[in-house]
Amino acid sequence: MRKVLLMMALLVCTFAQAGKVVTDSIKSNILGTWVKFNVYLPNGFDANKQAHYPVVYLLHGLTDDYTAWRDKGLMQTVADELIETGEALPMVIIMPNAGGPNRYDIWNGYFNMPGWSYEDFFFKELLPQAEKKYRAGGSKGQRAVMGLSMGGGGSTVYGQRHTDMFSSVYAMSAWLTSEDMRRREPNVDDKLYLLNKAVKDHSALEYVRNADEKTVEALRTVKWFIDCGDDDFLFNQNVQLHQLMRQKRIKSELRVRNGNHNWEYWHHAIRMALPFASRNFSK
């Protein structure tokens, strides 16, 4: 009986310390549509209306959407555990929608493309409105960006081109450049082709390779972490980014673990990513 009561007490304590994920949306004048996003709110968010939190933007991959990190990545469980143990700071985590399963006919991607100015939407509409509503971020020192695959590339490029906005970038299995420029069919609307072109046009590798000294100095103000499995088809791109940054004396951490391009790998990656962001938020 005592064991049962102890287990029940532990369960109640665990539940009491849990954060929550809420679904919200924003009307975008830039994209001409409503855009959904999930938000992780740490334990105590509703109780203390004066509290202000650092913010992490957590980006999903190609053919997924804003629910992926919650449902497939189990990020809420990970965030709760890390915050409870003190490995991560209490934080707000914003998971915006930037895609869907039909890669040919639905817009996917974090960059500006003809007919889909997502980067403008992210920085001019989503970021300021979400941070005001959820009492989070507000400065470079209180803001981080991370993501997987397409979202890993998006995170990297956002960190490169907006060094004044993010204290750290954690790139998981990042899609950093593209050579696949084939259309599905000639003269047919093909959003996957446009995405591939945008990834190539925003190549994170070329950005570092061509960076002048002023750009390099700006990149050095961001903390970088590159995390990719040894069997991942994007492995070479990720290692190449790390090598290019070393050549320019831009400090970055590289982790290569046993794994592939899948949720098993990213579930473990997020356990390192949130503490990394926490360590690099301003005090």
Side-chain angles (χ1 to χ4, degrees), residues 11-132:
L11 287 171
V12 170
C13 182
T14 300
F15 179 78
Q17 298 301 314
K20 63 180 180 179
V21 175
V22 299
T23 299
D24 203 343
S25 61
I26 181 174
K27 185 178 181 180
S28 171
N29 294 321
I30 292 173
L31 298 179
T33 187
W34 285 86
V35 181
K36 289 185 175 181
F37 59 99
N38 274 341
V39 186
Y40 169 83
L41 302 174
N43 176 54
F45 180 87
D46 293 325
N48 185 355
K49 301 297 185 182
Q50 303 304 313
H52 189 274
Y53 297 90
V55 65
V56 166
Y57 289 88
L58 183 57
L59 310 185
H60 66 77
L62 179 63
T63 73
D64 271 327
D65 61 22
Y66 69 100
T67 66
W69 271 110
R70 180 195 64 189
D71 298 343
K72 298 177 182 179
L74 306 177
M75 58 72 53
Q76 180 179 350
T77 300
V78 175
D80 284 343
E81 291 176 357
L82 292 172
I83 293 171
E84 177 66 17
T85 60
E87 296 173 76
L89 295 173
M91 63 179 70
V92 169
I93 303 174
I94 297 174
M95 296 157 275
N97 196 62
N102 185 344
R103 67 187 74 182
Y104 295 104
D105 301 311
I106 294 176
W107 287 111
N108 279 270
Y110 297 95
F111 308 136
N112 288 346
M113 294 173 263
W116 183 251
S117 298
Y118 193 92
E119 186 172 350
D120 288 347
F121 155 73
F122 185 95
F123 286 97
K124 296 178 181 180
E125 294 181 327
L126 173 67
L127 185 149
Q129 293 184 43
E131 292 188 7
K132 180 179 180 180

Side-chain angles (χ1 to χ4, degrees), residues 224-277:
W224 301 91
F225 201 119
I226 302 163
D227 186 351
C228 192
D230 57 356
D231 295 318
D232 197 303
F233 70 97
L234 294 174
F235 175 80
N236 289 340
Q237 290 187 15
N238 284 258
V239 172
Q240 187 178 2
L241 176 63
H242 180 68
Q243 291 172 331
L244 287 168
M245 294 177 79
R246 282 174 63 91
Q247 292 170 12
K248 293 292 180 81
R249 298 190 302 279
I250 303 165
K251 185 178 179 181
S252 69
E253 296 190 46
L254 172 67
R255 293 296 181 276
V256 177
R257 295 179 285 115
N258 181 45
N260 213 318
H261 200 82
N262 55 34
W263 279 103
E264 180 181 1
Y265 191 90
W266 302 321
H267 182 64
H268 289 287
I270 193 69
R271 289 185 175 276
M272 295 192 295
L274 296 180
F276 177 75

